[in-house]
Amino acid sequence: MEFIEDDDGVAMQTPLRAILPRSTHNEDHEYHYHVNNFESHDESGFTASLVINVKAEDDAKKWMSEFAESSRTTWRVMRTCPTAKKYVLFKKIYRCHHGQQRRAKEGTSRHSKDTGCCAKLTLTVRRTVTQSGRKSKNSDPHIQTHPTLVKLEWKHNHVISIPAALKYRDASPETCAKLEELFKNGNSPASALNILELELQIQDPDKYVMNCADRSICPDLHFCYRLYHKIFRKAYGPADGADMVAAVDEKVIANYNKEAGMTCAKMIRSSTGELIIGICTPLMQRVHTLMTHSSELVFIDSTGNVDRHGSRVFLLLTHSSSGGLPLGVIITSNEQERTIVEGLQLLQTICPAGAFGGNGNDGPAVFITDDCTAERKALHAVFPQSVLLLCSFHLLQAVWRWLWDSKHGIQKHHRQGLFFHVKNMVYAEDATAVEAAFESAISDPAVIRYPGYRAYINSLYERRQVWAQAFRIGLRIRANNTNNYAEAAMKVLKDSILQRSKAFNVPQLLDFMILCRFEGFYQRRLLSVVNQRPLKWNIQTHNRSKISKDDISKTGESTYEVTSQSDRQCHYTIDMAVGVCTCHEGITGGACKHQEAIVTHFKVASSNFLPTSAKERELLLKIATGCNDNVPSGWMDPLQSVEPMAEDVAEPRLQETALVNGHGDMQDRR
């Protein structure tokens, strides 16, 4: 229990009792007060002199912070008195922060919070024992038990507990700790403040109106940004400059490579002095060597606006039945061709010996990109044997934007018809149909009316091998004609990893976002497939095929023949080991209903569909974690004890002959 009394033993008046703190935050110490003097000044406030049972300097500072909280006021140090005297351990004079400590310069206006308040507090911790070891000779009878003296001049010329005053209070240490934890969890200053406000509203809806007005409990957005920069500047170094570059190499890359036990990241300066970082994490290296799809097809895309320096992030992924899987990340300071070339060459030095499914530095058979000239030229320079295809979606999007650009003068009612000419060429079934669609386009009166559009589609037609789907038959693109896997990965990077906020600097982007969170995200997605709980949005799902088992006949070790459901005279040939079908959808190795029927009726494993056997899921587990020792024996067993017959299971593998022939066809087409 606290004691507040004057010299005559009379209980102290309410104004002083209401503003004094009763105990410390952890309630391990209760404050006891003895009031020496109290004088009321009616409406202008009061003055008081009291002593407290506080004996150390740190405890006195703690009491001062708790007094500011209990009285809902903010104090600034007005003067620090010397402590050389043998009777004083600590002494400071504080002023209300609504009072100007120094006079404003002539010609400048005062701050909006400056009311000229003259409230003042003097805090003195007196020595109970002198430096010579003797007891203090101070005449105050309470000095031994209450050595701290407080002289308070409570003469505020402003109202204290209203929003106009509370909005200037300092954020409390508890509030700063909450914000710091939210920042470390990946929140931006704006999102952290939003979460803090939501928690305050949920915890006590009745008091939220008052709490949200108090800056010590609910700070403003500017404070959140300043705290954000202060925290990450300390953790990751300066926001830019040579020290920031040194922090990338010493604090992030070196430490990560040491923890991983291998070289997973490197940083170099380009020939023009640009910063280039290559990343191939352990999970990415396992995708290179264990996922055979990485030798067939790779998607590449870039994004910017990820940090405050305009860095570009290039992401390489491959296709799988579990969704797109990352193969590498390149961070550069620009998107110039020479910079991308050096970034790809740097990535080659980090990738494992069996990179790209065993192709090594030759790269994959096919790249699918958007129509970025610098990116495509850089890929051709580093991987000359690979075929560079253009994303069909990006091509059609570019045509549509060209038609809607007002400077080209295309009338609105002609745009759709002109667009369909290019669309017909994109989806034509063979090269002859592409040529026929082009001839139809250039002879259309609407096209003749716009010479600029005619020249535009002529330039497109010259590059038809890279965007027309008729020229992709026989290529192992697994029915992927767009760069959607890379687009989805960029959405993951910005939404789930960056959480729609910019990184503080390059070290934070590399450490906090790419190395820590990015790999963890894909590990969780792979484990969801391993545990047979895939998410539909990132897994290629399929509907149950209506093809009966009687319509399927086995013609070889891994080959089958399926009768068409629409034309009984038509038959499709399927090779489940290669994962191809003679139908339009499966001719490039994509999943089709005929392969699905074989998987359903014959229990054959296929890399085009979600893994059904324990062996397939064990491979994904190894890619995700690096080993299978962290799960108990029998973890992959099916719900029923009967396993598929061994002779009906065709393991997914690369067909060397088909792949080589496919690669040869690619070179001819290129």
Side-chain angles (χ1 to χ4, degrees), residues 346-408:
L346 176 63
L347 187 63
Q348 285 181 319
T349 65
I350 307 173
C351 291
F356 296 107
N359 290 349
N361 290 338
D362 291 338
V366 179
F367 277 104
I368 293 183
T369 72
D370 57 12
D371 201 6
C372 175
T373 303
E375 185 178 275
R376 293 176 65 83
K377 286 184 176 180
L379 286 170
H380 180 69
V382 179
F383 302 104
Q385 298 183 17
S386 300
V387 173
L388 305 181
L389 299 181
L390 190 60
C391 170
S392 300
F393 169 78
H394 283 94
L395 173 82
L396 294 174
Q397 185 184 56
V399 173
W400 188 250
R401 288 176 175 173
W402 193 98
L403 291 170
W404 277 84
D405 194 336
S406 59
K407 69 181 181 181
H408 296 137

Side-chain angles (χ1 to χ4, degrees), residues 527-542:
L527 291 178
S528 69
V529 179
V530 170
N531 295 328
Q532 303 181 68
R533 302 177 62 184
L535 298 177
K536 291 185 178 180
W537 67 269
N538 74 328
I539 301 298
Q540 182 179 0
T541 57
H542 50 279

Side-chain angles (χ1 to χ4, degrees), residues 289-309:
T289 56
L290 300 177
M291 186 62 66
T292 56
H293 294 73
S294 62
S295 66
E296 304 170 354
L297 175 64
V298 171
F299 308 93
I300 183 170
D301 197 9
S302 66
T303 187
N305 206 31
V306 293
D307 65 359
R308 289 168 173 77
H309 303 282

Side-chain angles (χ1 to χ4, degrees), residues 406-452:
S406 59
K407 69 181 181 181
H408 296 137
I410 308 296
Q411 294 186 16
K412 187 175 182 180
H413 62 279
H414 286 150
R415 292 169 183 167
Q416 189 170 2
L418 298 177
F419 176 74
F420 271 102
H421 285 303
V422 178
K423 191 173 182 180
N424 291 334
M425 287 188 283
V426 170
Y427 294 110
E429 293 185 355
D430 52 40
T432 304
V434 175
E435 184 178 356
F438 174 71
E439 294 295 337
S440 175
I442 60 176
S443 61
D444 187 350
V447 176
I448 298 174
R449 181 176 179 176
Y450 301 105

